[in-house]
Every structure is written in structure tokens, then in C-alpha cells.
Amino acid sequence: MLQIIVHGCEGKMGKILTQTAQDCGSVQVAAGIDARCQEGYSLSNPVSFPCYSEFSHCRTEADVVVDFSNPACLAPLLAFCTERKLPLVIATTGFQPEELSAIEKAAETIPIFRSANMSLGINVMARMLRLAAANLEKDFNIEIIEKHHNKKVDSPSGTAFLLADAVNQGCQVKKDLVFGRHGRADECRITDMGIHAVRGGSIPGDHTVLFAGPGETIEITHRALSKDIFAAGALQAAAWLADREPGLYSMEDMLS
């Protein structure tokens, strides 16, 4: 049975992940790490595994660490995993370029799986976008609209950037990203790709890519009905990563 350590176990996704692991039967949560824990137990969520407030307090053996936290925790997370030689699944988003560089550096020592979205459906959608963009880029304007709950702090979403990257991978001429159009007086160029963020209520995540051409439109939409899909994808990634060599892996690697 796969043994995992959940970093961010007190957060919403951390709790969903631990419940999903318990339900699937092939994964066991060996320990949780979260600054909101008191030593040995969770304050808000009765669990059967030990919880720690700091990495240095955790001596639990495991096969993989799964991270659903925030970018501010990256440095100690990477230090913990590289010191222990533990494979790492990073499901956190919103990293700055220097943080992405730190992840790439750590991947020289341990296997790291990072995706801006752990949904299998989103990553299949990215494949579809590469094909669509390759055929439509010259005559179609391309716009991305993403919708999330009112507690999401990063905007646009990491998934919106993932989808934009997929579009540009399919294009011969890369699109220039435009974030909203407030205050812009110029026309929408065919080389622009707009990204628009909507926040409200409890929306788990909606992403639509609009291809608008002369006389026709195409919309490709992914709608998350539950956050459970992100936990399921992260657990699948953990099982896939457990016996890999050091390197930086993505959902595309797993799907291939």
C-alpha cells in the first residue's frame, strides 16, 4: 500500500485528499504536516495519522509527499523532501519564476511531479487545445475565461496559464497574453490571447477557451463539479511518481 505524507493537511484540499485516500483503499496517509497542527494531532479534523506543525518534527516513513499548501511553504518543503530523498507531488499553484527555478533545481535530486491542475480532464483538454490552435490560429481570436470561488487568492488561475501554454504550444506564432481589457482603446489583434478571471460564490473551477472566427465560434469547456477530482488526480500522480528517477514530471508525462 502506498504511504503518503500530506503537506497542508489542515487546508480544504488537504482534508479532501486525506478522505479520498481513506476511501480508495490503496493509499494510506502516514502523516500530515501543517503549521496549524498541534504536535501529534489535528485541531480541526479528527484523523488516524500523526500530524506535525513543522517538517523537522516529522520522522514518519513514507513513499511520497503530496503538497496542497501555498507558495510561501515551498523552501522548507523542498528541503525536507530532498534531505529525505522523498518523491514530491506539488499541487500548489501561484509560484513566482524564482520558485519554479527552485523546483527545477530540487528535481535534479528527487522526482517531482508538478501540475497547475490535477484534474485528468483539464489535461486532456490541454491536448485538445494544442490541436485546435494548430488549425485555427491564423483566423480565430482565442480567449480564456476562468471562474472560481470567492476565496481563491491567485488570479488568473494557474490552470488558465496551463491552458494558455497549451494553446501557444499548438501555434506557430505565439499569442501575446492580455489580462482583461479595461482601459484599452486598441482593437483585439489576432496575435492577442485574452485571459479573464471571474470570482464568486463556491465555484470549484470553470475554464472555457473560446475560438472566435469569421462566421463561427468554438468553445471548449471544463467544469469541475467537485474538488474531489483534484485529490483523485494527485493520488494517481503519487502512485505513478513513487518509483521514478529524479526529474521534473508533468501530467502530460503520466498521460503519455
Side-chain angles (χ1 to χ4, degrees):
M1 182 175 290
L2 186 74
Q3 302 286 325
I4 66 170
I5 294 174
V6 179
H7 178 229
C9 61
E10 289 288 278
K12 289 183 179 179
M13 277 308 308
K15 293 175 182 177
I16 293 172
L17 180 69
T18 57
Q19 185 60 56
T20 303
Q22 291 169 2
D23 293 342
C24 80
S26 60
V27 180
Q28 183 174 10
V29 180
I33 301 174
D34 194 299
R36 292 163 287 191
C37 290
Q38 288 192 356
E39 297 317 307
Y41 64 93
S42 164
L43 289 177
S44 62
N45 190 31
V47 293
S48 59
F49 52 85
C51 299
Y52 305 95
S53 61
E54 297 181 20
F55 287 100
S56 59
H57 297 167
C58 179
R59 296 288 183 265
T60 305
E61 296 295 325
D63 301 306
V64 184
V65 175
V66 181
D67 168 60
F68 274 104
S69 59
N70 64 74
C73 302
L74 180 65
L77 170 66
L78 293 178
F80 175 77
C81 291
T82 53
E83 180 182 347
R84 297 272 301 269
K85 297 296 189 290
L86 281 169
L88 170 62
V89 174
I90 299 178
T92 299
T93 62
F95 293 110
Q96 298 300 312
E98 61 272 17
E99 293 166 331
L100 295 175
S101 296
I103 292 171
E104 292 176 2
K105 180 66 176 178
E108 297 174 4
T109 303
I110 58 172
I112 297 179
F113 185 108
R114 190 184 76 84
S115 177
N117 191 302
M118 286 292 167
S119 159
L120 298 182
I122 276 287
N123 287 277
V124 171
M125 179 180 175
R127 286 185 168 189
M128 297 167 62
L129 293 175
R130 285 192 284 272
L131 175 61
N135 289 277
L136 303 176
E137 66 167 303
K138 292 181 180 179
D139 300 311
F140 283 66
N141 294 109
I142 304 174
E143 301 280 302
I144 298 174
I145 305 98
E146 57 98 344
K147 305 174 186 177
H148 282 88
H149 54 87
N150 57 19
K151 303 299 182 185
K152 186 170 179 61
V153 295
D154 57 321
S155 176
S157 67
T159 302
F161 284 111
L162 181 155
L163 298 178
D165 287 343
V167 169
N168 270 333
Q169 288 165 14
C171 291
Q172 290 187 354
V173 178
K174 307 304 181 189
K175 304 291 185 181
D176 297 319
L177 301 187
V178 177
F179 302 100
R181 288 199 166 80
H182 177 71
R184 292 175 64 96
D186 54 336
E187 66 181 28
C188 179
R189 299 172 300 174
I190 202 71
T191 53
D192 289 341
M193 177 162 48
I195 301 182
H196 313 278
V198 177
R199 295 290 176 267
S202 57
I203 304 170
D206 285 7
H207 293 84
T208 295
V209 181
L210 168 67
F211 293 82
E216 59 182 333
T217 63
I218 300 170
E219 293 186 15
I220 302 176
T221 297
H222 177 274
R223 181 165 293 117
L225 303 179
S226 166
K227 291 184 177 181
D228 293 359
I229 61 172
F230 308 127
L235 292 178
Q236 186 172 342
W240 182 86
L241 187 70
D243 58 356
R244 301 286 159 181
E245 295 296 319
L248 184 59
Y249 301 94
S250 68
M251 191 68 77
E252 182 67 21
D253 296 313
M254 187 174 79
L255 292 176
S256 299

